[in-house]
Amino acid sequence: MGKTKLITSIDEMKEIVKDLKLEGLSIGFVPTMGYLHDGHISLMNCSKKDNDITVVSVFVNPIQFGKNEDYEKYPRDIERDLEICSNVGVDYLFHPSQKEMYPEDYSTFVVVEGITEILCGAYREGHFKGVATVVNKFFNILKPNRAYFGKKDYQQLKVIQRMVRDLNMDVEVIGCPLIREKDGLAMSSRNKYLSPEERKSALSISKALFEAKRRFEEGETNPEALKKLIRDIISSYPNTKIQYVEIVDGETLKFKEKAEKGDVIAIAVFVGDTRLIDNIEL
Ligand code: PAF
């Protein structure tokens, strides 16, 4: 497998993209904040399958973190990420500096309204504005034909799809399956924060979601009953605090009065100090 090229300058990346386009090659893009895991690798493999060239970005985006969130302690290891990208056969790892991405007088932001005020957006002020802005910048720099987002961040995927539709952007946004550990825990770079005890408690999240889906398939369509079931399971484990659990339409993310096939149960839970999100499609 060829070695992945690490690019840190925006201008150099743009020059490379220009040449790739002149050669008529298609570009697949996997945006990440690094500390790559099997969830990211599955996105890279999707991109490699569909495109001539795959570019992965690693950038811990300061503007999508709230004041009391984990920007400073977010795990970073670019050497490890580069090795993973090389093993998978990624062509370019784009790792720009914060200074170049957001110079001191930076002043332009992208706001997607209507689907960012609920779920995570209700608790993480400015988060999706930060995500939409940085993804927009990456799309402008990399001009990808396709971009790959994991369904673990379900709301993020829908926000980016809405932005691309509304702004007539020329990129296909592809949602890829949520990847779980063998025991059910949704893969996340933040799982690294969990102590062994907390990790056991974190398993309650997927357990509760699977059980709710099972009940739905048996005929329970009352969102309140399904949400209560989830709350009961999770709160029976130590150190868990549910931030929200909602049943929403899979496309519009509107709350549902009656659960239907295609809806999504979305949840955010604090396990100790670590905030985890997960979801399941009905
Ligand atoms: O999902 C993530 O890792 C981030 O939100 C993203 C899409 C890379 C933007 O910073």
Side-chain angles (χ1 to χ4, degrees), residues 44-62:
M44 297 174 199
N45 283 326
C46 286
S47 170
K48 276 174 59 71
K49 194 159 58 61
D50 297 346
N51 303 280
D52 300 315
I53 297 291
T54 290
V55 183
V56 171
S57 66
V58 168
F59 181 66
V60 185
N61 176 32

Side-chain angles (χ1 to χ4, degrees), residues 115 118-119 151 153-159 161-162 246-256 258-266 279-282:
I115 56 170
I118 48 161
L119 306 178
K151 285 191 180 173
D153 296 283
Y154 195 88
Q155 187 175 17
Q156 168 171 281
L157 168 67
K158 292 297 141 185
V159 169
Q161 284 175 335
R162 185 70 65 91
E246 298 293 353
I247 300 181
V248 295
D249 180 273
E251 210 42 55
T252 63
L253 304 187
K254 295 257 182 295
F255 297 139
K256 297 299 294 278
K258 184 175 176 219
E260 287 174 298
K261 204 166 160 39
D263 291 347
V264 172
I265 309 181
N279 66 78
I280 201 159
E281 292 175 72
L282 295 180

